[in-house]
């Protein structure tokens, strides 16, 4: 799977990091980012839920 975060849309709500903390984190400014080495989700079943939880739709998940 391919996970992307639109940094122009992200408001730093942190729902992705709360939902899938093994894949997402927040940077020093509070905006979402992927953990190093987790760019493909590493099979985490909560990645799609994390994308749905984003209140502004900044996280997208596509199958590769």
């Amino acid at each position: 799977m391919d996970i992307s975060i639109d940094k122009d849309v992200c408001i730093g709500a942190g729902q992705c990091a709360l939902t899938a903390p093994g894949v997402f984190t927040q940077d020093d400014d509070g905006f979402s980012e992927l953990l190093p080495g987790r760019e493909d989700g590493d099979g985490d079943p909560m990645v799609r839920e994390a994308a749905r939880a984003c209140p502004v739709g900044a996280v997208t998940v596509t199958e590769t």
Side-chain angles (χ1 to χ4, degrees):
M1 88 179 57
D2 182 47
I3 305 165
S4 63
I5 301 169
D6 187 335
K7 299 286 187 175
D8 293 328
V9 174
C10 180
I11 60 171
Q15 294 304 305
C16 58
L18 289 171
T19 305
V23 176
F24 298 94
T25 189
Q26 290 179 284
D27 65 17
D28 292 339
D29 294 321
F31 296 104
S32 298
E33 64 182 12
L34 294 167
L35 288 169
R38 300 297 182 139
E39 293 82 5
D40 65 355
D42 197 35
D44 190 321
M46 294 303 290
V47 170
R48 284 184 183 76
E49 183 59 34
R52 284 190 288 271
C54 180
V56 294
V59 178
T60 56
V61 178
T62 55
E63 290 301 320
T64 54

